[in-house]
Amino acid sequence: MAVTRFNRTLLASAMGLAAASISAQALAQEPVASIDLMTTTESYDPIRYEAAFMIAERWEELGFEVNVQPTEFSTALERFYDQQDFDATILGWSGRTDRLDPQFFLSTLDSRQANPGGNNPGGYDNPEFDALFDQQSQAFDQDERQRLVMEMQELYKPDAPLVVLFHRDEVVAYNHEAFDGFEPMAGEGLYSEWGPMEATPVGERSTLRIGGPQEPDNLNPLASTSVWGWKWMRLYYDRLVRLSADVEPLPWAAEAVEQVDDTTVAVTLREGMTFHDGEAVTADDVAFTWNYYLDQDYSYFNSYLAALDNAEAVDERTVHFHLSEPSASFASISLSQIPILPEHIWSQIDDASTLSPDEVPTVGSGPFQHERFDRGEFMAISKFDDHFHADEIAVDGVEFIIYADMEGVYTGLQTGEIDVTAWRMEPGQISLAESEDHLTVVNVPDFGYFHMTYNLRRAPFDDRAVRRALTMASDRERMVNVLLDGRGEVGSSVIAPVNTFWHEAFIERFDFDMDAARAELEEAGYTWDEDGRLMR
Amino acid sequence: MSSRRSYLIRRVLHGFMALFIIATLLFFLFRLGLPDPTAALITEGLNPEERERIRASFGLDRPIWEQYFIYLANIVQGDFGYSFHYRAPVADIIWERLGNTMILMLPAIVLAYGVGAPLGAWLSWRRGSRADTSGIFVGLMFRSAPMFWTGMIAILIFGIGLGWLPTSGMRTLPYDASGFLDKIFTLDFLHHLILPALVVALYYLGSPLLIMRNTMLEVYGEDFIEMARAKGLPERRILYAHAARNALLPVVTQLAVTIGLAAGGQVVVEVVFSWPGLGREILNSVRTSDFPLAQASFLVMAAFVITLNLLVDILYTMLDPRVSFK
């Protein structure tokens, strides 16, 4: 029998252990349950697919039996969220701007989200965590809330209910001979709502051209469920609050946001705002919009509306939001999500979800106004000169060219057809873009993440020591270096490092360490049989 | 003549039968193949009640048989349902995309067959010559080369390198067309059409070329050619008026099948050139689990193939009276 160096150490430690405890207890031990590791198919996402095999290799080295199961994406989602039929699964959360507020990612560990369909399919259950979750979500004081959020991260991390594998950088590029002045936004890249407001023409053309392979599903503010619909719509709809590029809530259509009492938020509107059709924006429009969203029961925004009982116009420029319970994220996040709709148009529409594309109104009050949407080809908006922010905007409009894939987008960037990419470039294109004189390549860190979640209801994941050992045996540094070509960051907490205000940097890190993983298991009473299989 | 009429009626009935079977297959394949047909409708973090409500709004909570009969009844009325992804009637989307596809594919196919068939005839006449071998080589090469590869080479040379031709889309944006005709009857459109149409044409060229050449070689051995030669007709006239007419049948069959399949678009060429056609749309609809759109697209494709096959059968009876009506 060929004995490798690894096997020798393993044998040595196993023999040492055996000598110490070759007793009735050891004889009664059984191999630990084998692990099905569910991931996406290679064609859907080669990175997650490869990551699963990298993990499996190390876990097997540790003595587990691991079966990697590449699964079609929607099946994986269903088995993970609805049926909770999995041992360990690699999936991801995208970094949507509103998730920069800690509320959402922390809720993925809330035991009340552990029912089928909820956001905590792993079933982590820690009453202390839940209690802190409620406290932070009601803490209006930012510093107090920050302290609670940090505490929550310190609390859950040693339990290792999941591994935040890595945050993948978004790599985008723009033509600096045509436009400059962009400030990338975490999770959004260059095509953020601020992009068109910050871009400054350097060349002759002052219409900014963005290119991407994704297009809105539709432009109905009560039916669109895609990020791409909202990325476009929020350029021509105003919100009361906009999140700055540093993700600070900035009063926008609101001149002031004040708390009247625990459950009442008062918003004072800016003076002199008009919709694109010339009608004034009033407190009635704002109150109407929010109540309309409540009535229409449009699920995409339900989480932002959950705390709201109703909105009430108190006078021409003041709206009171009556909440059912105190909510810290309402003023910062909810107010930044719901677009202000003109009451004189939408009050005529009974069921907004059934509007055909031609019937959908596109009148907003935003800094740009809607011009065109030719499905599969093109979208355009132009600057709205009567907007309060219009003087700060250097472009006279934005055109979005829709390509079939990133290959087309890159060719467009190369030939000068477009100025900015809306979506991350393919790995092969990055080095090409870097060698082009007219292009600037930008790495934007993401706060969304890929995670491996353990099903805590099942063996062996019901044992904290196993979870900790498996986490230590996941070589995430290598994933970032090899799979992401160094363009990303090893995950630590569900609140990403780039989210500096909420991220707790001083928590247990679980660096890759096979010896520590083995020690963790030994300490918890696990042994290995002569084949190196883990026994308990 | 009556046998001809009953033959045609029978063929049309067969066509409808085939469509019905395909529609049924599509319905059940998509229902059984997709774990959750509402995946496209549901966003992350939606609770089960909301999910149920959305399913109900699309009638997905009803028993599958009921859904099936509603689906059939709707198709008969030309209603293909409502796209989950776009929240728009499927028919509108398909007709527009189909138009875009055909306006790319038809010129390309006409070009391929217009050049390929006569070229094949000519090659057969010069069989064994250097022209023959290189003709076959070129035809086979473009037929075997993946279209995305030919397409990307064309983009590299004519789009990026020389900068002569646009590399994506149907028109220079923001050109705003008032309608479909306005969209296609412009120089700008032709400019955009050249590269993708050429790539498709080169790909298709091989079939008519080889079929024509090989059938011609067979026809040369027939008695009537001997007869024509004996009559002292010029070789050129024998070639085109006598031999070619008879060799045309298989080419016509192939042409019809090609046009039928072209309705689905060449996904690859539509993606490489960002052409907003039906092939690209089908790809997207599968990606977004938008099965009302996907199944209707496949049904339209099937209808095209069936109809064109029917047309071929009718054409056969005209081109070659010996074709029987059994």
Side-chain angles (χ1 to χ4, degrees), chain A residues 329-351:
Chain A
S329 61
F330 186 82
S332 56
I333 297 302
S334 297
L335 292 185
S336 76
Q337 297 301 316
I338 309 292
I340 302 171
L341 306 175
E343 182 181 9
H344 61 277
I345 295 176
W346 287 88
S347 56
Q348 320 287 319
I349 299 167
D350 286 336
D351 184 359

Side-chain angles (χ1 to χ4, degrees), chain A residues 351-370:
Chain A
D351 184 359
S353 65
T354 58
L355 293 177
S356 77
D358 313 334
E359 296 165 345
V360 173
T362 49
V363 176
S365 61
F368 295 92
Q369 49 190 337
H370 177 84

Side-chain angles (χ1 to χ4, degrees), chain B residues 1 3-4 7 215 218-219 222-225 242-250 313-326:
Chain B
M1 266 301 106
S3 76
R4 183 177 193 163
Y7 166 77
T215 332
E218 276 168 40
V219 174
E222 305 262 344
D223 293 344
F224 72 94
I225 299 287
H242 294 258
R245 187 182 167 194
N246 284 280
L248 222 50
L249 278 183
D313 288 346
I314 298 169
L315 253 176
Y316 257 44
T317 64
M318 280 144 64
L319 277 177
D320 188 346
R322 288 170 304 174
V323 172
S324 73
F325 304 130
K326 279 187 192 142

Side-chain angles (χ1 to χ4, degrees), chain A residues 125-137:
Chain A
D125 185 352
N126 183 341
E128 219 178 315
F129 185 92
D130 296 355
L132 285 170
F133 183 80
D134 289 343
Q135 281 177 39
Q136 68 78 30
S137 69

Side-chain angles (χ1 to χ4, degrees), chain A residues 29-42:
Chain A
Q29 288 198 320
E30 283 174 14
V32 291
S34 69
I35 299 171
D36 289 337
L37 176 50
M38 183 160 74
T39 185
T40 54
T41 55
E42 187 177 13

Side-chain angles (χ1 to χ4, degrees), chain B residues 36-309:
Chain B
D36 182 4
T38 52
L41 293 168
I42 310 281
T43 46
E44 298 160 309
L46 211 58
N47 66 41
E49 298 95 79
E50 283 167 21
R51 191 175 284 215
E52 213 32 64
R53 203 174 47 75
I54 292 177
R55 292 172 62 90
S57 72
F58 279 92
L60 292 164
D61 53 339
R62 302 186 191 197
I64 193 151
W65 289 107
E66 202 179 322
Q67 290 185 45
Y68 172 64
F69 287 116
I70 294 174
Y71 159 82
L72 283 185
N74 284 345
I75 287 180
V76 172
Q77 294 164 36
D79 175 3
F80 291 116
Y82 209 70
S83 155
F84 288 169
H85 183 64
Y86 297 135
R87 311 282 164 138
V90 164
D92 295 358
I93 300 169
I94 290 185
W95 295 135
E96 201 208 324
R97 290 286 167 270
L98 185 63
N100 290 346
T101 287
M102 290 321 263
I103 206 65
L104 162 65
M105 299 306 278
L106 285 181
I109 292 172
V110 166
L111 187 66
Y113 279 75
V115 173
L119 197 63
W122 184 72
L123 290 182
S124 72
W125 187 44
R126 308 264 321 256
R127 68 172 168 267
S129 70
R130 183 171 295 173
D132 186 29
T133 11
S134 32
I136 292 174
F137 175 76
V138 170
L140 276 178
M141 186 183 81
F142 282 112
R143 184 78 205 183
S144 332
M147 221 190 271
F148 74 86
W149 182 79
T150 326
M152 277 157 82
I153 300 269
I155 287 179
L156 266 178
I157 298 175
F158 298 102
I160 299 172
L162 298 169
W164 288 350
L165 295 165
T167 56
S168 77
M170 295 176 67
R171 48 189 164 148
T172 305
L173 298 159
Y175 175 77
D176 194 4
S178 57
F180 187 67
L181 292 182
D182 184 24
K183 192 152 81 182
I184 61 170
F185 285 110
T186 60
L187 276 178
D188 181 55
F189 169 76
L190 287 177
H191 203 205
H192 279 80
L193 180 68
I194 294 174
L195 271 191
L198 214 58
V199 168
V200 175
L202 283 174
Y203 176 76
Y204 280 134
L205 183 74
S207 301
L209 186 133
L210 292 175
I211 294 174
M212 193 69 186
R213 179 183 172 277
N214 295 346
T215 332
M216 287 288 276
L217 290 179
E218 276 168 40
V219 174
Y220 284 149
E222 305 262 344
D223 293 344
F224 72 94
I225 299 287
E226 288 291 307
M227 180 73 174
R229 286 222 172 88
K231 279 200 287 188
L233 290 176
E235 201 64 14
R236 202 167 281 273
R237 193 171 145 75
I238 298 174
L239 175 73
Y240 289 110
H242 294 258
R245 187 182 167 194
N246 284 280
L248 222 50
L249 278 183
V251 178
V252 169
T253 317
Q254 182 65 28
L255 173 65
V257 173
T258 307
I259 293 177
L261 289 174
Q266 279 292 347
V267 177
V268 172
V269 93
E270 289 184 1
V271 167
V272 169
F273 289 94
S274 292
W275 194 269
L278 191 60
R280 195 178 137 192
E281 199 63 58
I282 290 177
L283 191 71
N284 266 333
S285 63
V286 171
R287 205 180 275 154
T288 54
S289 306
D290 190 354
F291 72 90
L293 183 54
Q295 74 195 4
S297 308
F298 285 120
L299 196 62
V300 167
M301 273 171 73
F304 253 79
V305 175
I306 289 170
T307 313
L308 280 151
N309 271 326

